[in-house]
Amino acid sequence: MESQKVACFSETPLKSLHGLIDPGIWRQNHFRAYGVAFTRSRMLYYGATPVWYINQYRGSGFRWLVHDVNNLIDASALENGKPAPEKWIRSSIARLTPFMESIGQWGTKSKDFAFEREWRFKGQFTFGWTDVAAVIVPPGKAEGVKQSLKEALRYPAYVDTWEFRELAEPDATE
């Protein structure tokens, strides 16, 4: 539903950024090793919020919280057993669910984000060039990307205010 669209961000340690571009066994999309970084204070200013991870790992006597969330969704999205989009859009749970993500194991598949802390912004995220704190690039590409951005931007002086960080190769000991 439209009310659940978000822009996703990562608060990942620089040494773990490679985990975002490695598709692994659970990621459907393969990402390139380029990124734009913002400060935490700027993200808070715009209204982004950390994702709330809901545990779905099996355990002894554990009652999955996702069932409670699903019950709240059903109570807010259904009327007489039928979908009620207008009721859902006005509900408090509809404001919260864009910021929730389940982690756990389902059969042979598992999903966990221990290497990152995801942040989300509800809706379309728009930013200005002065909001950019850093640019993440593949190893050996910083100078070339910096020059390309200076040539492409209307106000190339912004590029000199940004930090350029080259993505580290994965550490074989991780």
Side-chain angles (χ1 to χ4, degrees):
M1 292 179 76
E2 192 69 28
S3 69
Q4 302 300 294
K5 289 186 177 179
V6 294
C8 299
F9 300 88
S10 175
E11 187 178 0
T12 301
L14 291 173
K15 72 175 193 154
S16 299
L17 278 174
H18 62 273
L20 295 175
I21 60 169
D22 178 4
I25 60 170
W26 54 270
R27 191 182 298 269
Q28 294 178 5
N29 300 308
H30 183 78
F31 299 109
R32 293 188 174 185
Y34 294 89
V36 179
F38 306 95
T39 63
R40 184 177 189 275
S41 61
R42 181 53 68 184
M43 296 306 296
L44 288 167
Y45 172 81
Y46 277 121
T49 190
V51 168
W52 306 345
Y53 293 109
I54 301 173
N55 179 7
Q56 285 193 215
Y57 282 102
R58 297 188 186 276
S60 175
F62 183 75
R63 183 167 184 264
W64 288 348
L65 297 175
V66 73
H67 294 306
D68 297 307
V69 171
N70 287 338
N71 289 338
L72 290 170
I73 290 169
D74 288 346
S76 298
L78 300 175
E79 202 164 283
N80 299 324
K82 295 185 179 172
E86 291 305 314
K87 181 181 176 191
W88 165 253
I89 289 169
R90 292 187 313 270
S91 72
S92 293
I93 190 67
R95 289 190 63 226
L96 299 175
T97 52
F99 306 104
M100 296 179 177
E101 185 69 48
S102 295
I103 60 170
Q105 190 162 4
W106 303 269
T108 59
K109 291 186 176 185
S110 66
K111 180 171 66 168
D112 200 329
F113 302 95
F115 64 90
E116 73 167 319
R117 289 187 308 230
E118 183 181 353
W119 285 59
R120 292 184 183 166
F121 174 85
K122 190 168 181 271
Q124 173 101 18
F125 184 75
T126 304
F127 64 92
W129 294 120
T130 58
D131 295 325
V132 175
V135 178
I136 310 299
V137 297
K141 300 282 186 184
E143 284 307 313
V145 169
K146 189 174 191 177
Q147 188 58 40
S148 294
L149 286 169
K150 282 184 172 186
E151 292 169 8
L153 293 180
R154 184 179 209 173
Y155 302 105
Y158 287 130
V159 177
D160 291 326
T161 67
W162 304 335
E163 179 180 352
F164 281 76
R165 297 295 301 253
E166 292 188 356
L167 185 66
E169 294 292 335
D171 185 348
T173 61
E174 289 184 40

